[in-house]
Amino acid sequence: MVQKYQSPVRVYKYPFELVMAAYEKRFPTCPQIPVFLGSEVLGESRSADGAVHVVERSCRLRVDAPRLLRKIAGVEHVVFVQKNVLNWRERTLLIEAHNETFASRVVVKENCSYSVHPENEDWTCFEQSASLDIRSFFGFESTLEKIAMKQYTANVKRGKEVIEHYLNELISQGTSHIPRWTPAPVREEDARSQPGSRQVEGTLRALGPAAEAVGTDGDKLDADYIQRCLGQLTPMQESCLIQLRLWLQETHRGKIPKDEHILRFLRARDFHLDKAREMLCQSLSWRKQHQVDVLLQTWRPPALLEEFYAGGWHYQDIAPGPLRVGQQSGWLSMLSSLQVLSVNEEGQKRCEGNTKQFGRPISSWTCLLDLEGLNMRHLWRPGVKALLRMIEVVEDNYPETLGRLLIVRAPRVFPVLWTLISPFINENTRQKFLIYSGSNYQGPGGLVDYLDKEVIPDFLGGESVCNVPEGGLVPKSLYLTEEEQEQADQLRQWSETYHSASVLRGAPHEVALDILEGESVITWDFDILRGDVVFSLYHTKQALRLGPREPGARASGQLVDKGWVLGTDYSRVEAPLVCREGESIQGSHVTRWPGVYLLQWQVHSPPGSMACSLPGDVLTALHSPGPKCKLLYYCEVLASEDFSAGANHTGKMLGIGKGWAEGDRGQEPLSPGLATGRLGPSPRTEEV
């Protein structure tokens, strides 16, 4: 495979003649370039009027490679032949070089040019390109390729510094101006009689278009622009950017992407040119198909989004990149593909604005997401699927745009969501997620590491009054939209996830979960739609006899035999929790032993009344058998390592594994593993 290098246009803010004087100081030896051992002139000729000077040199370069490789090759230095064509009239210097050593196995070609800056005749531009083709080298082709390109790019940077060194030396010696070349009158017959003139003309014809003046134009990038607007890049990274940009100019019809956008795709593929080109081409086709380029001008969010969507732009982070703030408020149910694309398009636009405003390259933005109020209800399948689709679209078409995602006040249910989505997120993207539970985002190690105190929103304890829309819950009356059928399908899928149950007085509703390994995580989410219930968690090693109606529950909803004795046949692993009508409860439990775990809901009896003390007590003689309470519930069992993976990513914030590291909102840890949170009255009976 041929490796190529293309430099940006480097500008010396000195006249061409002075730069040429500095360049000549590199010969015959140059102490500033240690690998350059010396050179000798092989041939030299001038045109009749002295305007064109052609010099051919043999240059010796030390082999900067491991000793074993040098021993196998049998050489300590390599020879390059360099041909320079200096045209004083056009004020250009064209350089061609190729290797003589191992020319049958390794082919190295280099082309350089010095020319006058197109917008300032007192400045000089420099461009450089090279190719490396290792055809065979004793089985060390890949190793030699890496060493050669690494060494070459290092010398590229050093070459610019050497020219600047000799320029400063000339100026310090009093040579700050060299007159431009002026032709001397020469008779035509004298010019034709000089052999050097004919040789120069032949050289110019052989060079063809390359011998013409090479200047910078609007289609080329200069090094100062790259550093000022795109950031510090290595020579090889600059080369990849320029090569991909040139390829787009030659093959892409219409307007090519901005340099910042091209660079993002290169970074996403670690500057692997072919992979970045493939990814970018697919994205360009996608943008054209969906007319994304005109999205900000043509799309306006519907009134529903403007009224209920919680999120907006809020100053900038410490980079300083744009900062977007969002609040939970049912954000999964509010996902809109056009909204997500609009946010990313505007994020790129704001990055460009911040680059100009602050005078330094800004290529990414920060998202601050408050997840207070997130619960299992929000993790319905269509919402999660929509989230995964949006993540895929963003990663494919907006790589390296999101600099950091700060998630604060993450509830205990968040690891469940993280377990669902993290496998679908690119590793580089996952590293940008910083997650805090409770109030851990305050103080050192929190938001102050990424945001100035003056811009932290007031609802998070900061000093900035945040005018970002707070959003809200969408009323049921607004759910019927143009996409009615899709909404109906989503609601149907949601109903398949959650189950309803009626709890009879004296006949609790129970769900059995078989745990095969010692450490698993049981998660649950339920809403009390009517009445008050007591929620408990039990464990037994005995097999249950299931009824005929549904898997996991008898006709009455009760699983435990009334003859069982608490403490002997089964045990309570957590204390009962009284749940009031309208409350939404979420929680999880890290199991200690294999066996059957029972989630139980029974009617709550106020103090002083006759109540059920055990799940098996059916007091039908004293109480009406009709339904007294109604609930909607969901439960799931996750492997401990899967659940811990999401928690471990959150580090100190969520602490899930063999038990919670800390309670929610700074409470004491719950032992041996129960984590239950209340959300207050459930909005499901009134709003969705």
Side-chain angles (χ1 to χ4, degrees):
M1 180 179 177
V2 179
Q3 292 287 329
K4 294 183 178 181
Y5 170 80
Q6 175 64 56
S7 77
V9 178
R10 306 192 185 278
V11 179
Y12 299 100
K13 297 183 179 180
Y14 298 94
F16 176 80
E17 289 73 20
L18 193 61
V19 173
M20 289 300 97
Y23 174 78
E24 287 298 322
K25 281 183 167 288
R26 295 176 52 172
F27 303 101
T29 59
C30 183
Q32 285 73 26
I33 305 180
V35 298
F36 185 64
L37 301 178
S39 64
E40 60 178 313
V41 176
L42 301 178
E44 186 173 6
S45 59
R46 297 178 184 271
S47 63
D49 58 0
V52 180
H53 183 197
V54 179
V55 178
E56 190 170 6
R57 292 186 177 93
S58 175
C59 303
R60 291 181 298 112
L61 301 178
R62 178 167 53 84
V63 177
D64 193 2
R67 184 174 179 273
L68 176 61
L69 197 60
R70 296 200 307 270
K71 187 175 182 180
I72 293 175
V75 296
E76 292 294 328
H77 68 270
V78 294
V79 176
F80 277 76
V81 175
Q82 180 192 79
K83 178 178 285 187
N84 292 1
V85 179
L86 175 60
N87 191 325
W88 292 110
R89 180 186 294 107
E90 301 294 340
R91 303 179 77 192
T92 63
L93 171 63
L94 303 179
I95 306 169
E96 287 185 349
H98 65 273
N99 65 303
E100 282 196 337
T101 306
F102 292 114
S104 62
R105 296 178 178 271
V106 180
V107 178
V108 180
K109 295 182 180 179
E110 182 184 51
N111 294 86
C112 305
S113 67
Y114 289 87
S115 60
V116 178
H117 194 285
E119 297 177 2
N120 190 328
E121 63 178 11
D122 289 329
W123 291 357
T124 304
C125 299
F126 172 73
E127 287 186 83
Q128 185 175 13
S129 63
S131 64
L132 171 66
D133 183 10
I134 302 179
R135 297 170 180 173
S136 65
F137 202 80
F138 314 108
F140 289 88
E141 291 81 7
S142 178
T143 302
L144 181 61
E145 181 180 284
K146 293 178 181 178
I147 293 174
M149 292 309 296
K150 181 179 179 180
Q151 187 62 40
Y152 184 80
T153 53
N155 290 336
V156 165
K157 182 178 180 181
R158 187 61 179 157
K160 181 177 183 292
E161 297 172 350
V162 168
I163 294 295
E164 292 175 342
H165 168 79
Y166 286 126
L167 283 168
N168 293 330
E169 183 178 283
L170 286 170
I171 294 173
S172 65
Q173 295 173 353
T175 305
S176 58
H177 175 74
I178 297 177
R180 295 185 185 179
W181 175 87
T182 55
V186 179
R187 292 185 304 173
E188 184 176 347
E189 56 271 21
D190 293 338
R192 293 183 179 276
S193 64
Q194 295 184 16
S197 177
R198 291 194 296 271
Q199 183 177 351
V200 169
E201 290 175 357
T203 299
L204 293 175
R205 283 195 299 270
L207 290 173
E212 299 176 359
V214 180
T216 60
D217 53 40
D219 292 335
K220 296 183 178 181
L221 301 181
D222 67 73
D224 291 339
Y225 160 79
I226 292 176
Q227 186 170 359
R228 184 177 66 254
C229 299
L230 303 180
Q232 191 70 38
L233 302 178
T234 66
M236 208 63 208
Q237 290 171 346
E238 291 176 338
S239 173
C240 291
L241 172 62
I242 294 167
Q243 289 184 65
L244 183 52
R245 195 174 184 271
L246 288 173
W247 181 85
L248 288 170
Q249 290 171 344
E250 295 171 356
T251 60
H252 186 64
R253 295 181 179 179
K255 187 178 180 181
I256 69 171
K258 295 181 179 179
D259 301 322
E260 300 91 330
H261 197 63
I262 299 174
L263 187 56
R264 288 187 179 103
F265 283 85
L266 286 166
R267 284 179 170 142
R269 291 295 178 262
D270 294 324
F271 287 88
H272 191 292
L273 193 57
D274 292 336
K275 293 181 180 179
R277 179 165 51 217
E278 180 182 0
M279 182 183 183
L280 180 56
C281 287
Q282 292 176 353
S283 178
L284 292 176
S285 298
W286 171 85
R287 294 181 70 88
K288 184 177 181 181
Q289 178 184 355
H290 298 283
Q291 298 183 338
V292 180
D293 288 336
V294 295
L295 180 66
L296 293 180
Q297 293 75 38
T298 59
W299 182 76
R300 292 292 178 269
L304 184 68
L305 272 176
E306 290 186 336
E307 183 175 357
F308 295 102
Y309 185 80
W313 297 99
H314 179 73
Y315 299 105
Q316 59 273 329
D317 57 25
I318 59 176
L323 172 64
R324 186 169 181 85
V325 176
Q327 294 175 292
Q328 189 275 128
S329 297
W331 57 281
L332 272 176
S333 62
M334 292 295 293
L335 274 178
S336 162
S337 57
L338 290 177
Q339 174 73 2
V340 173
L341 299 184
S342 175
V343 168
N344 280 275
E345 288 292 309
E346 188 172 355
Q348 291 186 144
K349 186 176 180 181
R350 287 176 175 266
C351 286
E352 296 172 14
N354 283 26
T355 296
K356 295 178 182 178
Q357 178 182 352
F358 296 100
R360 57 177 128 162
I362 304 296
S363 60
S364 60
W365 50 278
T366 294
C367 181
L368 173 61
L369 185 60
D370 178 17
L371 289 189
E372 184 181 38
L374 178 71
N375 58 76
M376 294 294 289
R377 283 200 327 276
H378 297 118
L379 307 189
W380 59 321
R381 292 178 185 175
V384 173
K385 287 182 178 179
L387 176 61
L388 293 176
R389 285 198 302 269
M390 290 301 100
I391 290 174
E392 182 180 2
V393 169
V394 170
E395 285 191 334
D396 289 345
N397 300 284
Y398 300 94
E400 300 299 314
T401 301
L402 178 63
R404 190 174 291 107
L405 177 58
L406 304 173
I407 297 178
V408 298
R409 299 202 280 197
R412 293 184 179 277
V413 73
F414 179 79
V416 180
L417 175 62
W418 184 252
T419 299
L420 292 173
I421 67 172
S422 60
F424 300 93
I425 303 177
N426 180 276
E427 176 62 24
N428 291 335
T429 304
R430 286 203 299 269
Q431 298 302 320
K432 299 174 183 178
F433 282 60
L434 297 171
I435 306 161
Y436 304 88
S437 69
S439 59
N440 290 329
Y441 62 89
Q442 300 175 351
L447 297 183
V448 293
D449 288 356
Y450 311 101
L451 308 175
D452 291 330
K453 293 182 179 179
E454 294 77 12
V455 303
I456 297 178
D458 49 0
F459 65 85
L460 295 177
E463 302 176 2
S464 177
V465 177
C466 187
N467 295 321
V468 171
E470 296 182 2
L473 297 169
V474 183
K476 269 187 176 181
S477 59
L478 298 179
Y479 260 57
L480 295 179
T481 66
E482 297 177 357
E483 301 174 349
E484 181 178 352
Q485 185 59 47
E486 182 179 351
Q487 294 270 353
D489 293 341
Q490 291 178 346
L491 290 174
R492 176 181 55 79
Q493 294 181 48
W494 178 84
S495 66
E496 293 174 356
T497 303
Y498 282 78
H499 307 278
S500 61
S502 296
V503 184
L504 304 177
R505 186 173 302 275
H509 183 80
E510 296 168 341
V511 175
L513 300 173
D514 290 323
I515 303 299
L516 302 179
E517 57 182 36
E519 291 186 356
S520 297
V521 181
I522 302 172
T523 66
W524 58 81
D525 172 39
F526 60 89
D527 286 351
I528 311 301
L529 304 182
R530 186 173 66 186
D532 298 339
V533 302
V534 177
F535 174 72
S536 301
L537 186 64
Y538 296 92
H539 172 260
T540 179
K541 295 182 179 180
Q542 299 187 39
L544 301 177
R545 292 178 295 174
L546 303 182
R549 277 187 57 184
E550 57 175 318
R554 292 182 179 178
S556 65
Q558 183 178 345
L559 296 174
V560 176
D561 288 344
K562 61 180 180 180
W564 281 12
V565 177
L566 182 64
T568 302
D569 300 295
Y570 65 102
S571 60
R572 180 185 287 123
V573 294
E574 291 295 343
L577 178 68
V578 178
C579 309
R580 304 296 180 181
E581 180 176 325
E583 286 188 334
S584 179
I585 309 297
Q586 296 80 42
S588 62
H589 177 83
V590 181
T591 64
R592 288 185 174 182
W593 315 278
V596 178
Y597 283 78
L598 286 164
L599 283 70
Q600 182 207 75
W601 295 267
Q602 66 175 342
V603 174
H604 172 63
S605 299
S609 65
M610 300 185 67
C612 313
S613 59
L614 295 178
D617 295 337
V618 183
L619 307 179
T620 54
L622 300 176
H623 299 281
S624 168
K628 297 297 183 181
C629 300
K630 193 169 185 178
L631 61 92
L632 201 63
Y633 70 90
Y634 166 83
C635 57
E636 183 179 10
V637 177
L638 299 173
S640 179
E641 60 270 17
D642 294 339
F643 197 75
S644 299
N648 289 338
H649 182 80
T650 67
K652 63 176 183 178
M653 287 75 79
L654 294 180
I656 300 173
K658 297 183 179 179
W660 295 93
E662 55 181 314
D664 195 24
R665 309 290 176 83
Q667 299 173 0
E668 291 299 318
L670 297 173
S671 176
L674 180 67
T676 301
R678 303 170 185 263
L679 289 184
S682 169
R684 184 176 285 115
T685 56
E686 300 294 337
E687 300 173 310
V688 177

